Amino acid sequence: MACPKEGPKEKKARAREVLKALKAAYPGARTELRHENPFQLLVATVLSAQATDKSVNEATPALFARFPDAKALAEATPEEVEPYIRRIGLYRTKAKNLVALARRLVEEYGGEVPKEKEAFVRAPVYRFLLAGFLWSFGANLVYFFLNFHLEALGFSRQAIGLAQAVVLLSGVAFAWPLARLIPRVGYVRSLELAFLLGVGGGVLLGLGLFVFPGLALYGLAGALVQGAAAPLLARLVPEERRVAFFSLQAALTTASGFFSTLLAGYLSDLLGARWVLLFALPFFALAYPLVRGLPRGGGEGKPFRFRGRFRAWLRLLLPQVVIGFGAGLVIPFLNLFLKEKFGLSYGTTGLLFALSSLATGAAMLLQPFLAGRLGRLGAIVFVQALSLPFLAALAWAPWLPLVTLALLIRGALMNAAGPVYAALVMDYLTEEERPGFFLLESALWSLLFALGSALSGAVQEALGLKAFDLLFGGTLALYALGILLWPWAFRGLERVD
């Protein structure tokens, strides 16, 4: 008889029962790992993964004699640690992890092992969240004001559509190489490289020197973030807290759009749209040292092999890419649509989109509650379906106050499902395949979004403002189809333990 499938809460409850039974059966049990203090026990525990206690106990006396505390180990290199643990499996990766662990103990806890596990677990998560906030702040400046920046440089509407496509297609072009690179170099190094590329691409783009190469570099940076960020967050938090932390991370990075677009609107009115993108660079640069402080090791190893996973990936990705094509028809041009339809200034347009980002962030914070009541899949379907009437009002309502309300609610509902989806698909993906999956998801979304954007630019060039009636109709139809596909996507798929 097959065992019933368990969610995170059921697994946690069963784990408590198992631990209770084990304590009752073995009241005097203690670890076989030899140690004299909490630091030595922590090191021995790290070494014991996929190794016998006997092999660890044979290696640790010499290791602890050479590195008696966290400070001594933090000052070493992995190459200096390797000879002492060479007989233990995965010794190179464990040497890197031990040095990183010791440095973190020194930097954040004065070289002592913290007594509370929760504080030790949460600290790197908050560094990650702050780095994501800073990256998002700069990325929102680029996203929202790229159109205005290119207009100020003299680009035609069709050329702007092609420029949007370059950003997205660069992620598509590098998806397969990055799917192999990220598992080898690790999530943290991938994010470090992303932030450096963001700075480089932002300089070229902001100064208007080499616009399309700058766009390609920026798109590559975004692809690295897409491939490494979600798997890293999944590794940093317990399974049962994923929806909460994914929602918090998405809320923070999305709400950063409130401040970034307000700033961009003000700077555009003050300095002109020509120079706004340069203000994204300090935020990309500030994110870099924060990810350098994160523990390394997760996500490193052999690249994932796609064989045997095509059907599962296809089902998980299809609703997303259908929605992505629909989004590409209108979302990149919403700022231009509202500016032209209602004659808004740069500052007013920036305020509207800033409020939209704030509303989206607030809606994301409600997602753990909805997921608890409706289930994660139910929460996705509910909020996205509820957004459709507001998209219609955004397209065809003649009054600016009503359009503003529709803009806020539509964006909040449609985008709030994103972190729940990311947390949900983790249950169906192994550690090795997560970077490749999110890169492919980003690449396919980007490809369809870019095609929609390029098509939309051509239609607008031919029909002007009237083109949006046709474009909004197409977006509504594709959104509805994608939402209907969600239950089919997860039906019958097996969770990965």
Side-chain angles (χ1 to χ4, degrees):
M1 181 176 178
C3 295
K5 294 181 180 178
E6 294 180 315
K9 291 183 180 179
E10 291 79 10
K11 288 182 179 179
K12 195 170 185 179
R14 187 160 60 89
R16 290 196 191 100
E17 293 299 320
V18 171
L19 287 174
K20 184 178 178 180
L22 288 173
K23 287 179 180 179
Y26 304 97
R30 55 172 295 171
T31 178
E32 293 296 322
L33 297 172
R34 296 172 188 164
H35 63 281
E36 297 177 359
N37 54 55
F39 170 73
Q40 291 186 359
L41 177 59
L42 181 60
V43 170
T45 303
V46 172
L47 292 175
S48 67
Q50 299 185 39
T52 64
D53 291 348
K54 179 181 178 181
S55 65
V56 173
N57 289 334
E58 290 174 350
T60 49
L63 178 68
F64 294 147
R66 174 63 178 82
F67 308 105
D69 52 33
K71 185 175 183 299
L73 186 56
E75 294 173 350
T77 65
E79 290 74 21
E80 291 174 320
V81 176
E82 287 176 7
Y84 296 90
I85 61 173
R86 193 178 298 274
R87 289 175 293 177
I88 297 175
L90 304 174
Y91 71 93
R92 287 194 175 92
T93 297
K94 290 178 180 179
K96 294 178 183 178
N97 291 343
L98 287 176
V99 172
L101 174 63
R103 289 173 181 172
R104 184 178 162 207
L105 289 174
V106 171
E107 292 171 2
E108 300 181 21
Y109 302 97
E112 300 294 326
V113 177
K115 294 182 179 180
E116 295 185 6
K117 171 190 171 185
E118 190 68 18
F120 189 69
V121 170
R122 284 199 305 251
V125 176
Y126 294 141
R127 295 178 73 98
F128 172 87
L129 292 176
L130 181 55
F133 178 87
L134 292 170
W135 166 263
S136 178
F137 198 106
N140 273 299
L141 285 174
V142 176
Y143 173 78
F144 181 71
F145 268 81
L146 177 60
N147 292 342
F148 297 146
H149 176 73
L150 296 176
E151 271 192 333
L153 292 175
F155 281 61
S156 68
R157 188 61 58 85
Q158 188 169 6
I160 292 174
L162 291 174
Q164 292 275 3
V166 167
V167 177
L168 300 169
L169 290 174
S170 60
V172 175
F174 289 106
W176 177 247
L178 291 181
R180 301 183 65 80
L181 175 68
I182 291 174
R184 289 189 179 278
V185 304
Y187 305 144
V188 175
R189 288 193 180 93
S190 297
L191 291 176
E192 292 171 359
L193 178 59
F195 297 152
L196 293 176
L197 289 172
V199 172
V203 169
L204 297 179
L205 180 60
L207 294 176
L209 299 176
F210 301 97
V211 170
F212 283 94
L215 289 167
L217 285 178
Y218 177 71
L220 175 58
L224 279 164
V225 172
Q226 183 69 27
L232 176 58
L233 181 57
R235 182 172 60 83
L236 292 175
V237 300
E239 180 183 350
E240 65 273 12
R241 301 294 304 279
R242 280 179 188 162
V243 171
F245 273 99
F246 271 77
S247 297
L248 176 59
Q249 185 262 345
L252 287 173
T253 55
T254 304
S256 71
F258 174 76
F259 302 103
S260 62
T261 49
L262 273 182
L263 175 64
Y266 172 77
L267 292 172
S268 292
D269 288 338
L270 181 67
L271 304 174
R274 171 74 172 78
W275 304 106
V276 171
L277 297 195
L278 289 174
F279 288 87
L281 303 182
F283 296 97
F284 295 155
L286 287 170
Y288 180 80
L290 288 172
V291 296
R292 283 187 64 84
L294 294 176
R296 299 177 184 271
E300 295 181 345
K302 296 181 179 179
F304 168 70
R305 297 187 182 276
F306 185 68
R307 184 179 303 170
R309 296 293 290 166
F310 175 78
R311 176 178 171 273
W313 282 32
L314 176 64
R315 295 178 65 155
L316 293 173
L317 292 169
L318 187 57
Q320 282 286 78
V321 298
V322 170
I323 292 172
F325 183 68
L329 294 176
V330 295
I331 301 305
F333 300 96
L334 276 180
N335 51 4
L336 296 173
F337 167 72
L338 295 175
K339 181 175 178 290
E340 292 179 0
K341 183 174 180 177
F342 296 101
L344 304 180
S345 67
Y346 288 129
T348 302
T349 309
L351 175 61
L352 291 180
F353 279 82
L355 292 172
S356 178
S357 296
L358 194 62
T360 300
M364 286 175 172
L365 292 176
L366 296 175
Q367 291 307 293
F369 170 77
L370 282 178
R373 298 295 296 270
L374 304 175
R376 287 176 289 181
L377 180 58
I380 294 171
V381 173
F382 176 75
V383 296
Q384 289 192 341
L386 196 58
S387 74
L388 297 183
F390 296 97
L391 178 61
L394 173 61
W396 294 296
W399 305 289
L400 181 60
L402 182 56
V403 168
T404 300
L405 182 64
L407 175 71
L408 300 182
I409 298 176
R410 183 221 69 86
L413 292 173
M414 195 68 190
N415 295 318
V420 184
Y421 168 77
L424 176 59
V425 297
M426 292 293 176
D427 292 348
Y428 300 89
L429 302 172
T430 64
E431 174 78 18
E432 300 80 36
E433 66 181 311
R434 288 170 183 171
F437 176 86
F438 281 99
L439 279 165
L440 181 59
E441 186 237 347
S442 177
L444 290 175
W445 172 280
S446 298
L447 178 61
L448 273 298
F449 193 94
L451 290 175
S453 177
L455 175 62
S456 181
V459 174
Q460 291 176 59
E461 193 79 16
L463 302 179
L465 189 60
K466 293 181 179 180
F468 282 101
D469 288 336
L470 178 64
L471 296 171
F472 272 107
T475 296
L476 274 167
L478 289 166
Y479 276 12
L481 176 60
I483 293 167
L484 289 172
L485 286 172
W486 281 125
W488 166 83
F490 288 92
R491 188 180 299 124
L493 288 185
E494 293 186 4
R495 297 175 183 269
V496 176
D497 293 328

Short mmCIF file of all heavy atoms in Angstrom, two decimals, residues 394-428:
data_model
loop_
_atom_site.label_atom_id
_atom_site.label_comp_id
_atom_site.label_asym_id
_atom_site.label_seq_id
_atom_site.Cartn_x
_atom_site.Cartn_y
_atom_site.Cartn_z
N LEU A 394 -8.16 48.71 -16.70
CA LEU A 394 -6.95 49.46 -17.03
C LEU A 394 -6.91 49.79 -18.52
O LEU A 394 -6.48 50.87 -18.92
CB LEU A 394 -5.73 48.63 -16.62
CG LEU A 394 -4.35 49.16 -17.01
CD1 LEU A 394 -4.08 50.52 -16.39
CD2 LEU A 394 -3.27 48.16 -16.58
N ALA A 395 -7.36 48.87 -19.34
CA ALA A 395 -7.29 49.06 -20.78
C ALA A 395 -8.33 50.05 -21.29
O ALA A 395 -8.03 50.89 -22.15
CB ALA A 395 -7.46 47.71 -21.48
N TRP A 396 -9.57 49.98 -20.77
CA TRP A 396 -10.66 50.68 -21.45
C TRP A 396 -11.42 51.69 -20.58
O TRP A 396 -12.31 52.37 -21.09
CB TRP A 396 -11.63 49.65 -22.02
CG TRP A 396 -11.00 48.85 -23.11
CD1 TRP A 396 -10.55 49.32 -24.31
CD2 TRP A 396 -10.70 47.46 -23.10
NE1 TRP A 396 -9.99 48.31 -25.05
CE2 TRP A 396 -10.06 47.13 -24.33
CE3 TRP A 396 -10.90 46.43 -22.19
CZ2 TRP A 396 -9.65 45.85 -24.66
CZ3 TRP A 396 -10.47 45.16 -22.51
CH2 TRP A 396 -9.86 44.87 -23.73
N ALA A 397 -11.11 51.81 -19.31
CA ALA A 397 -11.78 52.82 -18.50
C ALA A 397 -11.31 54.21 -18.93
O ALA A 397 -10.12 54.43 -19.14
CB ALA A 397 -11.49 52.60 -17.02
N PRO A 398 -12.23 55.20 -19.04
CA PRO A 398 -11.85 56.52 -19.56
C PRO A 398 -11.37 57.49 -18.49
O PRO A 398 -10.92 58.59 -18.83
CB PRO A 398 -13.15 57.02 -20.20
CG PRO A 398 -14.23 56.38 -19.38
CD PRO A 398 -13.69 55.05 -18.93
N TRP A 399 -11.48 57.15 -17.20
CA TRP A 399 -11.18 58.08 -16.12
C TRP A 399 -9.88 57.68 -15.42
O TRP A 399 -9.71 56.53 -15.01
CB TRP A 399 -12.32 58.11 -15.11
CG TRP A 399 -13.64 58.43 -15.75
CD1 TRP A 399 -14.05 59.63 -16.27
CD2 TRP A 399 -14.71 57.50 -15.96
NE1 TRP A 399 -15.32 59.52 -16.78
CE2 TRP A 399 -15.76 58.22 -16.62
CE3 TRP A 399 -14.91 56.15 -15.67
CZ2 TRP A 399 -16.96 57.63 -16.97
CZ3 TRP A 399 -16.10 55.56 -16.03
CH2 TRP A 399 -17.11 56.30 -16.66
N LEU A 400 -9.00 58.64 -15.24
CA LEU A 400 -7.69 58.37 -14.65
C LEU A 400 -7.79 57.78 -13.25
O LEU A 400 -7.04 56.84 -12.93
CB LEU A 400 -6.84 59.64 -14.65
CG LEU A 400 -5.43 59.49 -14.06
CD1 LEU A 400 -4.62 58.46 -14.82
CD2 LEU A 400 -4.71 60.85 -14.05
N PRO A 401 -8.66 58.26 -12.35
CA PRO A 401 -8.73 57.63 -11.01
C PRO A 401 -9.08 56.14 -11.07
O PRO A 401 -8.49 55.34 -10.34
CB PRO A 401 -9.84 58.43 -10.31
CG PRO A 401 -9.84 59.75 -10.99
CD PRO A 401 -9.52 59.46 -12.42
N LEU A 402 -10.02 55.77 -11.95
CA LEU A 402 -10.38 54.36 -12.07
C LEU A 402 -9.24 53.55 -12.68
O LEU A 402 -8.94 52.42 -12.25
CB LEU A 402 -11.63 54.21 -12.92
CG LEU A 402 -12.17 52.79 -13.11
CD1 LEU A 402 -12.44 52.12 -11.76
CD2 LEU A 402 -13.44 52.80 -13.97
N VAL A 403 -8.56 54.13 -13.67
CA VAL A 403 -7.42 53.46 -14.28
C VAL A 403 -6.29 53.28 -13.26
O VAL A 403 -5.64 52.23 -13.22
CB VAL A 403 -6.93 54.25 -15.51
CG1 VAL A 403 -5.58 53.74 -15.99
CG2 VAL A 403 -7.95 54.18 -16.63
N THR A 404 -6.07 54.28 -12.42
CA THR A 404 -5.05 54.18 -11.39
C THR A 404 -5.35 53.04 -10.42
O THR A 404 -4.48 52.23 -10.07
CB THR A 404 -4.94 55.51 -10.61
OG1 THR A 404 -4.61 56.55 -11.52
CG2 THR A 404 -3.89 55.41 -9.52
N LEU A 405 -6.62 52.96 -9.98
CA LEU A 405 -7.02 51.88 -9.08
C LEU A 405 -6.83 50.52 -9.75
O LEU A 405 -6.33 49.56 -9.13
CB LEU A 405 -8.48 52.07 -8.67
CG LEU A 405 -9.04 51.05 -7.68
CD1 LEU A 405 -8.32 51.13 -6.35
CD2 LEU A 405 -10.55 51.27 -7.49
N ALA A 406 -7.22 50.42 -11.02
CA ALA A 406 -7.07 49.16 -11.75
C ALA A 406 -5.60 48.78 -11.89
O ALA A 406 -5.23 47.61 -11.78
CB ALA A 406 -7.72 49.28 -13.12
N LEU A 407 -4.74 49.78 -12.15
CA LEU A 407 -3.30 49.53 -12.27
C LEU A 407 -2.75 48.94 -10.97
O LEU A 407 -1.99 47.96 -11.00
CB LEU A 407 -2.58 50.83 -12.61
CG LEU A 407 -1.05 50.77 -12.66
CD1 LEU A 407 -0.59 49.99 -13.88
CD2 LEU A 407 -0.45 52.18 -12.67
N LEU A 408 -3.14 49.52 -9.85
CA LEU A 408 -2.63 49.06 -8.56
C LEU A 408 -3.08 47.64 -8.25
O LEU A 408 -2.28 46.78 -7.87
CB LEU A 408 -3.09 50.00 -7.45
CG LEU A 408 -2.67 51.47 -7.54
CD1 LEU A 408 -3.18 52.24 -6.32
CD2 LEU A 408 -1.17 51.61 -7.65
N ILE A 409 -4.39 47.38 -8.42
CA ILE A 409 -4.92 46.08 -8.03
C ILE A 409 -4.49 44.99 -9.01
O ILE A 409 -4.14 43.88 -8.60
CB ILE A 409 -6.46 46.15 -7.93
CG1 ILE A 409 -6.86 47.16 -6.84
CG2 ILE A 409 -7.04 44.77 -7.62
CD1 ILE A 409 -8.35 47.37 -6.72
N ARG A 410 -4.50 45.28 -10.31
CA ARG A 410 -4.09 44.28 -11.30
C ARG A 410 -2.67 43.81 -11.05
O ARG A 410 -2.39 42.61 -10.99
CB ARG A 410 -4.20 44.83 -12.71
CG ARG A 410 -3.87 43.79 -13.79
CD ARG A 410 -3.04 44.37 -14.91
NE ARG A 410 -1.70 44.72 -14.51
CZ ARG A 410 -0.66 43.87 -14.50
NH1 ARG A 410 -0.83 42.61 -14.83
NH2 ARG A 410 0.54 44.28 -14.14
N GLY A 411 -1.74 44.76 -10.91
CA GLY A 411 -0.36 44.38 -10.69
C GLY A 411 -0.16 43.62 -9.40
O GLY A 411 0.60 42.64 -9.35
N ALA A 412 -0.87 44.06 -8.34
CA ALA A 412 -0.73 43.39 -7.05
C ALA A 412 -1.19 41.94 -7.12
O ALA A 412 -0.51 41.03 -6.65
CB ALA A 412 -1.53 44.15 -5.99
N LEU A 413 -2.35 41.71 -7.75
CA LEU A 413 -2.89 40.36 -7.79
C LEU A 413 -2.10 39.45 -8.73
O LEU A 413 -1.77 38.31 -8.37
CB LEU A 413 -4.35 40.41 -8.25
CG LEU A 413 -5.33 41.06 -7.26
CD1 LEU A 413 -6.71 41.22 -7.89
CD2 LEU A 413 -5.43 40.25 -5.97
N MET A 414 -1.79 39.92 -9.92
CA MET A 414 -1.12 39.06 -10.90
C MET A 414 0.28 38.67 -10.44
O MET A 414 0.70 37.53 -10.56
CB MET A 414 -1.06 39.78 -12.25
CG MET A 414 -0.72 38.86 -13.40
SD MET A 414 -2.07 37.69 -13.71
CE MET A 414 -1.31 36.57 -14.86
N ASN A 415 1.01 39.64 -9.88
CA ASN A 415 2.40 39.38 -9.52
C ASN A 415 2.56 38.72 -8.16
O ASN A 415 3.61 38.15 -7.86
CB ASN A 415 3.19 40.69 -9.55
CG ASN A 415 3.27 41.28 -10.95
OD1 ASN A 415 3.48 40.55 -11.92
ND2 ASN A 415 3.09 42.58 -11.06
N ALA A 416 1.52 38.81 -7.31
CA ALA A 416 1.62 38.21 -5.97
C ALA A 416 1.76 36.71 -6.03
O ALA A 416 2.24 36.08 -5.07
CB ALA A 416 0.41 38.60 -5.14
N ALA A 417 1.34 36.09 -7.13
CA ALA A 417 1.43 34.63 -7.25
C ALA A 417 2.86 34.15 -7.47
O ALA A 417 3.16 32.97 -7.25
CB ALA A 417 0.54 34.14 -8.39
N GLY A 418 3.76 35.04 -7.91
CA GLY A 418 5.11 34.62 -8.26
C GLY A 418 5.87 33.89 -7.16
O GLY A 418 6.39 32.79 -7.39
N PRO A 419 5.96 34.45 -5.95
CA PRO A 419 6.72 33.74 -4.90
C PRO A 419 6.08 32.43 -4.48
O PRO A 419 6.78 31.50 -4.09
CB PRO A 419 6.74 34.76 -3.74
CG PRO A 419 5.63 35.71 -4.01
CD PRO A 419 5.54 35.79 -5.50
N VAL A 420 4.76 32.34 -4.54
CA VAL A 420 4.10 31.08 -4.19
C VAL A 420 4.44 30.01 -5.22
O VAL A 420 4.71 28.85 -4.88
CB VAL A 420 2.57 31.27 -4.10
CG1 VAL A 420 1.90 29.98 -3.63
CG2 VAL A 420 2.23 32.41 -3.14
N TYR A 421 4.46 30.40 -6.50
CA TYR A 421 4.86 29.46 -7.56
C TYR A 421 6.29 28.98 -7.35
O TYR A 421 6.58 27.78 -7.45
CB TYR A 421 4.72 30.15 -8.92
CG TYR A 421 5.36 29.40 -10.06
CD1 TYR A 421 4.75 28.27 -10.61
CD2 TYR A 421 6.57 29.81 -10.59
CE1 TYR A 421 5.33 27.59 -11.66
CE2 TYR A 421 7.17 29.13 -11.65
CZ TYR A 421 6.55 28.02 -12.17
OH TYR A 421 7.14 27.34 -13.20
N ALA A 422 7.20 29.91 -7.04
CA ALA A 422 8.60 29.53 -6.84
C ALA A 422 8.75 28.56 -5.69
O ALA A 422 9.51 27.59 -5.77
CB ALA A 422 9.45 30.79 -6.61
N ALA A 423 8.04 28.82 -4.60
CA ALA A 423 8.12 27.91 -3.45
C ALA A 423 7.48 26.57 -3.77
O ALA A 423 7.97 25.51 -3.36
CB ALA A 423 7.44 28.54 -2.24
N LEU A 424 6.38 26.58 -4.52
CA LEU A 424 5.67 25.35 -4.85
C LEU A 424 6.49 24.43 -5.73
O LEU A 424 6.59 23.21 -5.48
CB LEU A 424 4.34 25.69 -5.52
CG LEU A 424 3.49 24.52 -6.01
CD1 LEU A 424 3.13 23.58 -4.86
CD2 LEU A 424 2.22 25.03 -6.69
N VAL A 425 7.12 24.96 -6.77
CA VAL A 425 7.83 24.08 -7.70
C VAL A 425 9.07 23.47 -7.05
O VAL A 425 9.56 22.44 -7.53
CB VAL A 425 8.23 24.83 -9.00
CG1 VAL A 425 7.02 25.28 -9.77
CG2 VAL A 425 9.16 25.99 -8.72
N MET A 426 9.59 24.07 -5.97
CA MET A 426 10.72 23.47 -5.27
C MET A 426 10.40 22.06 -4.80
O MET A 426 11.29 21.20 -4.72
CB MET A 426 11.14 24.33 -4.07
CG MET A 426 11.73 25.67 -4.43
SD MET A 426 13.32 25.55 -5.25
CE MET A 426 13.61 27.27 -5.60
N ASP A 427 9.13 21.80 -4.49
CA ASP A 427 8.73 20.47 -4.04
C ASP A 427 8.86 19.42 -5.14
O ASP A 427 8.86 18.22 -4.85
CB ASP A 427 7.28 20.48 -3.55
CG ASP A 427 7.11 21.28 -2.27
OD1 ASP A 427 8.13 21.62 -1.65
OD2 ASP A 427 5.95 21.55 -1.90
N TYR A 428 8.93 19.85 -6.38
CA TYR A 428 8.95 18.93 -7.52
C TYR A 428 10.30 18.91 -8.23
O TYR A 428 10.44 18.29 -9.27
CB TYR A 428 7.85 19.31 -8.51
CG TYR A 428 6.46 19.27 -7.91
CD1 TYR A 428 5.92 20.38 -7.29
CD2 TYR A 428 5.71 18.10 -7.94
CE1 TYR A 428 4.65 20.35 -6.72
CE2 TYR A 428 4.44 18.06 -7.38
CZ TYR A 428 3.92 19.19 -6.77
OH TYR A 428 2.67 19.15 -6.21
#
